[in-house]
Amino acid sequence: MSKLTLSTAWQALSAHYTAIEPLHMRQLFADDPSRFDKFSVKSGDLLFDYSKNRITEKTRKLLVALAEQADVPGFIERQFSGDKINNTEQRAVLHTALRNRSDRPVFVDGIDVMPDVRRVLGLMRKFSEAVRSGSHVGHTGRAITDIVNIGIGGSDLGPLMVCEALKSYAAPALRAHFVSNVDATQLTETLKKLDAETTLFIVSSKTFTTQETLTNARSARAWLVERLGSDVAVAKHFAAVSTNLKATAAFGINPDNVFEFWDWVGGRYSLWSAIGLPIALFVGMDKFEELLAGAYAMDEHFRTAPLDQNIPVLMGMLGIWYGNFFGASSNAVLPYDQYLHRFPAYLQQLDMESNGKGVDRDGSSVDYDTGMAVWGEAGTNGQHAFYQLIHQGTRMIPADFLAPVHSQNPTGEHHAILLANCFAQTEALMIGKTSDEARAELVAQGLPSEKLEALLPHKVFPGNKPTNTLLFDRLDPHTLGMLIALYEQKVFVQGIVWNINSFDQWGVELGKQLASRILPELLDDAVKLPHDQSTRSLIDYYRQQR
Ligand code: F6P
């Protein structure tokens, strides 16, 4: 057994699990009229209700003890102070410096990174204001009306999710598009709607070596040059965001339109850097800085709140409680705000690329489960699709519900109906419906006894399904910044407890290597196929059928 599973705090939780597992939350609420007060936290305009979880005060104490045993507080300081906690890549993890709104210096290798961070923010402001005001014009002198971000993974999902979430704050004169997939359909369908004279491409890639992004960027460049009739046009219509300035220069992007970031920013943590340029262009730099300020507020909460009142710590430890002790393997994220419809997709990369690890920081295999699968959909749509499984399926699926008190589009009773559904779902998941209650309903409907008995088991809801609820005033840039940072730090807490490196992603490499080996085999039938039987046959079939 590993040091973690043998540890006092882990063993104490294992023993405690056997006491908690048979308890129903109905009873826990009935026994304690102040349960909500005990198990909710407010930070800024964010209310975190975690009372509908299978926990008691003792559980929280034991979970906090596990966080302390793993030295979460020490690692928080190490993260913020620029220690190279990404040990397999020997890098600091400092997306928090990008949103540091204080005058605190942040050192990497003895050098304060804050002047550089502020310099690039200044460049982003200048460029985004020039484009938005129409003073940056295209090759033919026309103002930019459409921006197309070309990137993938962290260089796509974060800016895309934020632009969707803050759509209502955007300038109507500027539209934002995102192309990520190497499937040419996405680029083609996007370009169909655009006029080259008024389109600005932003090629976003930390490494500037990613096959999908460079392939899309080359095709976009060819489209532009063909329409505008000159290579010179590229200077006014292409910008780049990268840590690899040599590669952006080699691609031919005007150095005035290149925005830098640094190797201490992980791809999936990069929306706070110049990777956020599409956000700044779309909603304006002031709003982008409000987003940073919201994340900073959450960082300050995370650094300073005691562990038992610390929202990212509590959320992270609850995930460990269900994943490692109850055996849950997925986590649903259910935003009751249409503007957050891409939030679950964004969280998938954040969480699963960070914590999908099978060896610990020292390279030893772990004997406990790590990251869960994350999935979800905007409410109420999910209710009519997959909630059935959460309510009556055999697996435990802890779920997060997120909702604004105020709609940005107040229309009749829509928002009250939306929130009624949100609250009803967490209530139903917690309280369930007993056999007696179901029977009483069927009796009241006058069902004959034989039919009643046959139907009864299907009408029972076990309940006792754990949920968190995050309520906020309205989805503005500040609140969105808080929410994103909250989930980032939750993922961080879990990685520390599991003793894994949440900041590398070696698991994506093998597929990339094999794809580059297969590509020439698809392009040239003469190339031999040194593969397993299935892969060889699939390639053969493609060669014959294409
Ligand atoms: O697929 C792995 C990955 O490295 C992600 O971590 C990253 O966000 C994405 O590819 C894109 O990388 P880049 O920004 O270097 O193009």
Side-chain angles (χ1 to χ4, degrees):
M1 279 167 86
S2 64
K3 222 165 109 188
L4 177 60
T5 48
L6 283 173
S7 69
T8 319
W10 192 278
Q11 291 290 323
L13 277 161
S14 285
H16 179 66
Y17 165 75
T18 53
I20 290 292
E21 202 280 330
L23 300 183
H24 200 289
M25 279 189 274
R26 259 187 193 224
Q27 197 55 48
L28 296 176
F29 272 98
D31 291 347
D32 185 357
S34 59
R35 185 169 171 86
F36 174 81
D37 295 333
K38 283 184 185 146
F39 297 107
S40 59
V41 181
K42 183 115 198 292
S43 178
D45 83 339
L46 203 63
L47 171 68
F48 174 54
D49 169 23
Y50 64 106
S51 59
K52 293 192 186 93
N53 275 289
R54 294 174 68 172
I55 56 169
T56 61
E57 284 174 277
K58 181 164 180 201
T59 321
R60 179 171 59 196
K61 224 175 172 172
L62 294 175
L63 288 171
V64 165
L66 178 61
E68 272 163 354
Q69 177 190 274
D71 194 22
V72 167
F75 271 95
I76 294 175
E77 262 336 287
R78 289 179 68 186
Q79 182 200 151
F80 281 87
S81 61
D83 246 31
K84 298 201 169 163
I85 55 174
N86 175 353
N87 64 323
T88 59
E89 296 178 316
Q90 273 307 302
R91 287 178 184 164
V93 173
L94 274 179
H95 45 281
T96 52
L98 302 167
R99 58 213 193 194
N100 172 18
R101 303 272 95 190
S102 74
D103 52 13
R104 260 197 320 262
V106 181
F107 294 101
V108 175
D109 293 328
I111 295 167
D112 181 11
V113 300
M114 288 312 299
D116 260 350
V117 168
R118 292 190 192 104
R119 176 178 58 79
V120 175
L121 283 172
L123 294 174
M124 287 169 69
R125 177 173 286 280
K126 205 168 142 213
F127 185 71
S128 55
E129 285 175 355
V131 173
R132 285 166 64 85
S133 67
S135 70
H136 172 110
V137 289
H139 181 61
T140 58
R142 289 175 62 191
I144 300 298
T145 57
D146 292 86
I147 53 170
V148 181
N149 188 75
I150 298 180
I152 197 164
S155 302
D156 168 73
L157 287 162
L160 167 57
M161 178 274 288
V162 172
C163 285
E164 282 297 306
L166 300 182
K167 211 185 252 170
S168 66
Y169 298 87
L174 201 58
R175 290 173 293 270
H177 312 267
F178 290 82
V179 173
S180 50
N181 198 338
V182 76
D183 182 341
T185 297
Q186 195 180 18
L187 181 66
T188 308
E189 289 296 335
T190 304
L191 296 182
K192 263 186 198 169
K193 298 173 273 191
L194 303 181
D195 179 345
E197 289 186 58
T198 59
T199 298
L200 173 71
F201 293 96
I202 303 165
V203 187
S204 294
S205 174
K206 179 175 170 180
T207 54
F208 228 78
T209 58
T210 304
Q211 186 188 43
E212 293 91 330
T213 299
L214 293 187
T215 306
N216 278 324
R218 279 189 215 102
S219 300
R221 189 183 198 278
W223 175 86
L224 184 96
V225 170
E226 193 193 328
R227 274 156 187 78
L228 299 187
S230 161
D231 271 353
V232 180
V234 173
K236 292 281 190 187
H237 292 268
F238 269 78
V241 183
S242 187
T243 58
N244 186 350
L245 302 189
K246 263 195 194 152
T248 59
F251 191 87
I253 293 177
N254 179 354
D256 291 346
N257 298 348
V258 174
F259 300 85
E260 176 192 3
F261 67 112
W262 306 274
D263 73 357
W264 41 262
V265 183
R268 52 194 173 275
Y269 299 87
S270 62
L271 72 89
W272 320 101
S273 72
I275 290 287
L277 186 63
I279 306 171
L281 283 160
F282 191 51
V283 298
M285 195 61 192
D286 289 345
K287 294 276 178 282
F288 182 70
E289 297 214 16
E290 284 171 32
L291 182 82
L292 299 183
Y296 175 68
M298 181 50 70
D299 286 342
E300 286 301 284
H301 166 83
F302 183 52
R303 286 184 60 227
T304 57
L307 298 190
D308 62 359
Q309 290 158 50
N310 191 312
I311 306 177
V313 171
L314 291 165
M315 276 184 85
M317 297 314 295
L318 285 166
I320 287 174
W321 180 229
Y322 296 122
N324 294 105
F325 297 92
F326 284 79
S329 62
S330 83
N331 178 202
V333 180
L334 309 165
Y336 279 66
D337 188 322
Q338 185 62 29
Y339 285 121
L340 283 174
H341 73 114
R342 292 295 289 166
F343 196 54
Y346 160 78
L347 289 182
Q348 273 171 346
Q349 187 200 13
L350 171 64
D351 200 321
M352 295 164 79
E353 203 172 68
S354 297
N355 284 345
K357 309 287 160 67
V359 295
D360 68 15
R361 297 173 67 81
D362 306 317
S364 305
S365 293
V366 298
D367 64 353
Y368 42 86
D369 282 321
T370 59
M372 288 194 206
V374 176
W375 55 284
E377 185 61 65
T380 56
N381 298 11
Q383 290 173 209
H384 296 274
F386 53 76
Y387 278 36
Q388 164 67 36
L389 186 143
I390 309 181
H391 281 288
Q392 288 186 314
T394 54
R395 298 169 196 281
M396 173 196 259
I397 301 176
D400 296 344
F401 286 72
L402 292 82
V405 171
H406 295 102
S407 167
Q408 293 182 60
N409 302 294
T411 308
E413 291 186 344
H414 282 249
H415 197 59
I417 295 172
L418 179 73
L419 289 188
N421 274 280
C422 174
F423 299 152
Q425 287 299 327
T426 67
E427 183 173 42
L429 286 164
M430 185 276 282
I431 208 155
K433 191 184 284 178
T434 64
S435 184
D436 286 348
E437 288 164 348
R439 181 184 296 279
E441 277 181 14
L442 294 174
V443 169
Q445 286 165 21
L447 224 64
S449 97
E450 206 177 307
K451 274 201 175 154
L452 187 152
E453 291 308 327
L455 199 52
L456 185 60
H458 304 278
K459 293 281 196 175
V460 172
F461 287 67
N464 218 15
K465 313 280 187 189
T467 61
N468 294 317
T469 301
L470 283 156
L471 282 186
F472 43 89
D473 189 47
R474 72 182 71 235
L475 190 68
D476 59 20
H478 190 275
T479 299
L480 181 64
M482 284 187 86
L483 285 172
I484 302 168
L486 160 58
Y487 275 91
E488 285 181 348
Q489 301 296 16
K490 169 207 157 170
V491 166
F492 174 74
V493 167
Q494 295 185 331
I496 296 309
V497 173
W498 288 323
N499 190 30
I500 56 178
N501 181 359
S502 302
F503 301 102
D504 60 13
Q505 57 284 318
W506 302 107
V508 297
E509 292 305 320
L510 178 58
K512 284 188 197 172
Q513 279 169 11
L514 296 189
S516 61
R517 203 169 92 191
I518 291 175
L519 178 61
E521 299 166 0
L522 301 187
L523 297 173
D524 180 355
D525 284 4
V527 180
K528 286 219 160 30
L529 302 178
H531 297 284
D532 63 89
Q533 201 186 110
S534 161
T535 309
R536 193 172 60 241
S537 306
L538 290 168
I539 295 172
D540 247 343
Y541 184 84
Y542 167 77
R543 282 177 170 181
Q544 285 159 27
Q545 302 292 320
R546 73 170 160 223

PDB file of all heavy atoms in Angstrom, residues 152-155 204-210 213 267-268 275 349 353 505 508-509 512, ligand 1:
ATOM      1  N   ILE A 152      -5.964  25.226 -30.092  1.00  0.00           N
ATOM      2  CA  ILE A 152      -6.645  23.996 -29.639  1.00  0.00           C
ATOM      3  C   ILE A 152      -6.311  23.770 -28.172  1.00  0.00           C
ATOM      4  O   ILE A 152      -5.323  24.311 -27.659  1.00  0.00           O
ATOM      5  CB  ILE A 152      -6.249  22.797 -30.548  1.00  0.00           C
ATOM      6  CG1 ILE A 152      -7.226  21.627 -30.399  1.00  0.00           C
ATOM      7  CG2 ILE A 152      -4.819  22.341 -30.287  1.00  0.00           C
ATOM      8  CD1 ILE A 152      -7.147  20.578 -31.507  1.00  0.00           C
ATOM      9  N   GLY A 153      -7.119  22.957 -27.493  1.00  0.00           N
ATOM     10  CA  GLY A 153      -6.884  22.694 -26.063  1.00  0.00           C
ATOM     11  C   GLY A 153      -6.955  24.001 -25.290  1.00  0.00           C
ATOM     12  O   GLY A 153      -7.867  24.814 -25.477  1.00  0.00           O
ATOM     13  N   GLY A 154      -5.965  24.230 -24.459  1.00  0.00           N
ATOM     14  CA  GLY A 154      -5.960  25.441 -23.638  1.00  0.00           C
ATOM     15  C   GLY A 154      -5.899  26.712 -24.456  1.00  0.00           C
ATOM     16  O   GLY A 154      -6.260  27.787 -23.966  1.00  0.00           O
ATOM     17  N   SER A 155      -5.447  26.619 -25.693  1.00  0.00           N
ATOM     18  CA  SER A 155      -5.361  27.813 -26.532  1.00  0.00           C
ATOM     19  C   SER A 155      -6.670  28.060 -27.281  1.00  0.00           C
ATOM     20  O   SER A 155      -6.722  28.865 -28.210  1.00  0.00           O
ATOM     21  CB  SER A 155      -4.193  27.656 -27.520  1.00  0.00           C
ATOM     22  OG  SER A 155      -3.003  27.456 -26.792  1.00  0.00           O
ATOM     23  N   SER A 204      -3.085  31.058 -31.843  1.00  0.00           N
ATOM     24  CA  SER A 204      -2.768  30.913 -30.419  1.00  0.00           C
ATOM     25  C   SER A 204      -2.185  29.542 -30.170  1.00  0.00           C
ATOM     26  O   SER A 204      -2.863  28.529 -30.366  1.00  0.00           O
ATOM     27  CB  SER A 204      -4.043  31.044 -29.584  1.00  0.00           C
ATOM     28  OG  SER A 204      -4.552  32.342 -29.686  1.00  0.00           O
ATOM     29  N   SER A 205      -0.941  29.503 -29.763  1.00  0.00           N
ATOM     30  CA  SER A 205      -0.337  28.213 -29.451  1.00  0.00           C
ATOM     31  C   SER A 205       0.856  28.445 -28.538  1.00  0.00           C
ATOM     32  O   SER A 205       1.780  29.166 -28.905  1.00  0.00           O
ATOM     33  CB  SER A 205       0.123  27.519 -30.743  1.00  0.00           C
ATOM     34  OG  SER A 205       0.821  26.335 -30.422  1.00  0.00           O
ATOM     35  N   LYS A 206       0.800  27.829 -27.384  1.00  0.00           N
ATOM     36  CA  LYS A 206       1.913  27.990 -26.438  1.00  0.00           C
ATOM     37  C   LYS A 206       3.230  27.581 -27.098  1.00  0.00           C
ATOM     38  O   LYS A 206       4.208  28.289 -27.055  1.00  0.00           O
ATOM     39  CB  LYS A 206       1.633  27.166 -25.181  1.00  0.00           C
ATOM     40  CG  LYS A 206       2.742  27.253 -24.161  1.00  0.00           C
ATOM     41  CD  LYS A 206       2.396  26.523 -22.874  1.00  0.00           C
ATOM     42  CE  LYS A 206       3.638  26.427 -21.993  1.00  0.00           C
ATOM     43  NZ  LYS A 206       3.400  25.740 -20.730  1.00  0.00           N
ATOM     44  N   THR A 207       3.204  26.413 -27.721  1.00  0.00           N
ATOM     45  CA  THR A 207       4.445  25.871 -28.292  1.00  0.00           C
ATOM     46  C   THR A 207       4.676  26.329 -29.731  1.00  0.00           C
ATOM     47  O   THR A 207       5.789  26.320 -30.223  1.00  0.00           O
ATOM     48  CB  THR A 207       4.357  24.338 -28.323  1.00  0.00           C
ATOM     49  OG1 THR A 207       3.148  23.984 -29.032  1.00  0.00           O
ATOM     50  CG2 THR A 207       4.297  23.764 -26.918  1.00  0.00           C
ATOM     51  N   PHE A 208       3.631  26.687 -30.412  1.00  0.00           N
ATOM     52  CA  PHE A 208       3.632  26.992 -31.848  1.00  0.00           C
ATOM     53  C   PHE A 208       4.188  25.824 -32.666  1.00  0.00           C
ATOM     54  O   PHE A 208       4.824  26.009 -33.708  1.00  0.00           O
ATOM     55  CB  PHE A 208       4.399  28.292 -32.159  1.00  0.00           C
ATOM     56  CG  PHE A 208       3.610  29.193 -33.077  1.00  0.00           C
ATOM     57  CD1 PHE A 208       2.575  29.964 -32.585  1.00  0.00           C
ATOM     58  CD2 PHE A 208       3.884  29.248 -34.434  1.00  0.00           C
ATOM     59  CE1 PHE A 208       1.818  30.784 -33.423  1.00  0.00           C
ATOM     60  CE2 PHE A 208       3.140  30.054 -35.288  1.00  0.00           C
ATOM     61  CZ  PHE A 208       2.116  30.832 -34.769  1.00  0.00           C
ATOM     62  N   THR A 209       3.921  24.616 -32.176  1.00  0.00           N
ATOM     63  CA  THR A 209       4.322  23.425 -32.926  1.00  0.00           C
ATOM     64  C   THR A 209       3.118  22.489 -33.107  1.00  0.00           C
ATOM     65  O   THR A 209       3.254  21.424 -33.689  1.00  0.00           O
ATOM     66  CB  THR A 209       5.414  22.628 -32.172  1.00  0.00           C
ATOM     67  OG1 THR A 209       4.891  22.286 -30.887  1.00  0.00           O
ATOM     68  CG2 THR A 209       6.697  23.424 -32.019  1.00  0.00           C
ATOM     69  N   THR A 210       1.969  22.872 -32.580  1.00  0.00           N
ATOM     70  CA  THR A 210       0.828  21.954 -32.568  1.00  0.00           C
ATOM     71  C   THR A 210       0.270  21.767 -33.980  1.00  0.00           C
ATOM     72  O   THR A 210      -0.092  22.733 -34.655  1.00  0.00           O
ATOM     73  CB  THR A 210      -0.259  22.487 -31.604  1.00  0.00           C
ATOM     74  OG1 THR A 210       0.363  22.656 -30.331  1.00  0.00           O
ATOM     75  CG2 THR A 210      -1.431  21.550 -31.471  1.00  0.00           C
ATOM     76  N   THR A 213      -3.176  23.293 -35.077  1.00  0.00           N
ATOM     77  CA  THR A 213      -3.196  24.760 -35.132  1.00  0.00           C
ATOM     78  C   THR A 213      -2.401  25.269 -36.327  1.00  0.00           C
ATOM     79  O   THR A 213      -2.859  26.156 -37.060  1.00  0.00           O
ATOM     80  CB  THR A 213      -2.636  25.323 -33.811  1.00  0.00           C
ATOM     81  OG1 THR A 213      -3.489  24.867 -32.758  1.00  0.00           O
ATOM     82  CG2 THR A 213      -2.573  26.839 -33.816  1.00  0.00           C
ATOM     83  N   GLY A 267      -0.774  25.359 -20.490  1.00  0.00           N
ATOM     84  CA  GLY A 267      -1.735  25.588 -21.569  1.00  0.00           C
ATOM     85  C   GLY A 267      -3.166  25.723 -21.063  1.00  0.00           C
ATOM     86  O   GLY A 267      -3.894  26.641 -21.429  1.00  0.00           O
ATOM     87  N   ARG A 268      -3.584  24.819 -20.179  1.00  0.00           N
ATOM     88  CA  ARG A 268      -4.984  24.843 -19.729  1.00  0.00           C
ATOM     89  C   ARG A 268      -5.228  25.892 -18.646  1.00  0.00           C
ATOM     90  O   ARG A 268      -6.337  26.000 -18.123  1.00  0.00           O
ATOM     91  CB  ARG A 268      -5.405  23.443 -19.256  1.00  0.00           C
ATOM     92  CG  ARG A 268      -4.479  22.818 -18.238  1.00  0.00           C
ATOM     93  CD  ARG A 268      -4.763  21.327 -18.069  1.00  0.00           C
ATOM     94  NE  ARG A 268      -3.773  20.661 -17.223  1.00  0.00           N
ATOM     95  CZ  ARG A 268      -2.631  20.195 -17.658  1.00  0.00           C
ATOM     96  NH1 ARG A 268      -2.296  20.328 -18.922  1.00  0.00           N
ATOM     97  NH2 ARG A 268      -1.798  19.576 -16.834  1.00  0.00           N
ATOM     98  N   ILE A 275      -3.156  34.615 -24.211  1.00  0.00           N
ATOM     99  CA  ILE A 275      -4.107  33.677 -24.834  1.00  0.00           C
ATOM    100  C   ILE A 275      -5.530  34.235 -24.691  1.00  0.00           C
ATOM    101  O   ILE A 275      -6.432  33.908 -25.461  1.00  0.00           O
ATOM    102  CB  ILE A 275      -3.963  32.257 -24.208  1.00  0.00           C
ATOM    103  CG1 ILE A 275      -2.635  31.608 -24.613  1.00  0.00           C
ATOM    104  CG2 ILE A 275      -5.148  31.351 -24.540  1.00  0.00           C
ATOM    105  CD1 ILE A 275      -2.540  31.125 -26.052  1.00  0.00           C
ATOM    106  N   GLN A 349     -10.937  19.734 -19.842  1.00  0.00           N
ATOM    107  CA  GLN A 349      -9.487  19.796 -20.030  1.00  0.00           C
ATOM    108  C   GLN A 349      -8.796  20.164 -18.719  1.00  0.00           C
ATOM    109  O   GLN A 349      -7.812  19.536 -18.321  1.00  0.00           O
ATOM    110  CB  GLN A 349      -9.083  20.808 -21.110  1.00  0.00           C
ATOM    111  CG  GLN A 349      -7.573  20.704 -21.396  1.00  0.00           C
ATOM    112  CD  GLN A 349      -6.958  21.923 -22.070  1.00  0.00           C
ATOM    113  OE1 GLN A 349      -7.555  22.972 -22.144  1.00  0.00           O
ATOM    114  NE2 GLN A 349      -5.727  21.764 -22.534  1.00  0.00           N
ATOM    115  N   GLU A 353      -7.047  16.704 -17.844  1.00  0.00           N
ATOM    116  CA  GLU A 353      -5.652  16.738 -18.295  1.00  0.00           C
ATOM    117  C   GLU A 353      -4.724  16.963 -17.091  1.00  0.00           C
ATOM    118  O   GLU A 353      -3.584  16.524 -17.073  1.00  0.00           O
ATOM    119  CB  GLU A 353      -5.447  17.830 -19.358  1.00  0.00           C
ATOM    120  CG  GLU A 353      -4.244  17.579 -20.244  1.00  0.00           C
ATOM    121  CD  GLU A 353      -4.141  18.556 -21.423  1.00  0.00           C
ATOM    122  OE1 GLU A 353      -3.893  19.741 -21.185  1.00  0.00           O
ATOM    123  OE2 GLU A 353      -4.285  18.120 -22.574  1.00  0.00           O
ATOM    124  N   GLN A 505       1.323  16.820 -18.932  1.00  0.00           N
ATOM    125  CA  GLN A 505       0.285  16.103 -19.715  1.00  0.00           C
ATOM    126  C   GLN A 505       0.961  15.142 -20.676  1.00  0.00           C
ATOM    127  O   GLN A 505       0.700  15.172 -21.868  1.00  0.00           O
ATOM    128  CB  GLN A 505      -0.659  17.070 -20.446  1.00  0.00           C
ATOM    129  CG  GLN A 505      -0.016  18.071 -21.416  1.00  0.00           C
ATOM    130  CD  GLN A 505       0.667  19.213 -20.732  1.00  0.00           C
ATOM    131  OE1 GLN A 505       0.147  19.760 -19.761  1.00  0.00           O
ATOM    132  NE2 GLN A 505       1.848  19.575 -21.195  1.00  0.00           N
ATOM    133  N   VAL A 508      -0.773  12.837 -23.553  1.00  0.00           N
ATOM    134  CA  VAL A 508      -1.262  13.166 -24.892  1.00  0.00           C
ATOM    135  C   VAL A 508      -0.193  12.906 -25.955  1.00  0.00           C
ATOM    136  O   VAL A 508      -0.453  13.011 -27.150  1.00  0.00           O
ATOM    137  CB  VAL A 508      -1.762  14.631 -24.996  1.00  0.00           C
ATOM    138  CG1 VAL A 508      -2.946  14.855 -24.071  1.00  0.00           C
ATOM    139  CG2 VAL A 508      -0.658  15.618 -24.681  1.00  0.00           C
ATOM    140  N   GLU A 509       1.023  12.525 -25.510  1.00  0.00           N
ATOM    141  CA  GLU A 509       2.142  12.446 -26.448  1.00  0.00           C
ATOM    142  C   GLU A 509       2.096  11.227 -27.370  1.00  0.00           C
ATOM    143  O   GLU A 509       2.399  11.331 -28.547  1.00  0.00           O
ATOM    144  CB  GLU A 509       3.476  12.431 -25.686  1.00  0.00           C
ATOM    145  CG  GLU A 509       3.781  13.743 -24.979  1.00  0.00           C
ATOM    146  CD  GLU A 509       3.756  14.946 -25.924  1.00  0.00           C
ATOM    147  OE1 GLU A 509       4.237  14.817 -27.066  1.00  0.00           O
ATOM    148  OE2 GLU A 509       3.227  15.995 -25.525  1.00  0.00           O
ATOM    149  N   LYS A 512       0.008  11.552 -30.400  1.00  0.00           N
ATOM    150  CA  LYS A 512       0.615  12.511 -31.344  1.00  0.00           C
ATOM    151  C   LYS A 512       1.734  11.833 -32.129  1.00  0.00           C
ATOM    152  O   LYS A 512       1.835  11.987 -33.346  1.00  0.00           O
ATOM    153  CB  LYS A 512       1.227  13.696 -30.576  1.00  0.00           C
ATOM    154  CG  LYS A 512       0.254  14.715 -30.053  1.00  0.00           C
ATOM    155  CD  LYS A 512       1.050  15.911 -29.510  1.00  0.00           C
ATOM    156  CE  LYS A 512       0.224  16.796 -28.612  1.00  0.00           C
ATOM    157  NZ  LYS A 512       1.000  17.831 -27.928  1.00  0.00           N
TER     158      LYS A 512
HETATM  159  O1  F6P B   1      -2.815  18.231 -26.157  1.00  0.00           O
HETATM  160  C1  F6P B   1      -1.960  18.707 -25.198  1.00  0.00           C
HETATM  161  C2  F6P B   1      -1.731  20.179 -25.234  1.00  0.00           C
HETATM  162  O2  F6P B   1      -0.389  20.385 -25.003  1.00  0.00           O
HETATM  163  C3  F6P B   1      -2.577  20.926 -24.223  1.00  0.00           C
HETATM  164  O3  F6P B   1      -2.092  20.812 -22.951  1.00  0.00           O
HETATM  165  C4  F6P B   1      -2.541  22.297 -24.778  1.00  0.00           C
HETATM  166  O4  F6P B   1      -3.473  23.131 -24.188  1.00  0.00           O
HETATM  167  C5  F6P B   1      -2.793  21.986 -26.234  1.00  0.00           C
HETATM  168  O5  F6P B   1      -2.081  20.792 -26.468  1.00  0.00           O
HETATM  169  C6  F6P B   1      -2.379  23.041 -27.211  1.00  0.00           C
HETATM  170  O6  F6P B   1      -1.012  23.315 -27.147  1.00  0.00           O
HETATM  171  P1  F6P B   1      -0.390  24.621 -27.767  1.00  0.00           P
HETATM  172  O7  F6P B   1      -0.976  25.794 -27.079  1.00  0.00           O
HETATM  173  O8  F6P B   1       1.092  24.513 -27.536  1.00  0.00           O
HETATM  174  O9  F6P B   1      -0.722  24.644 -29.227  1.00  0.00           O
END
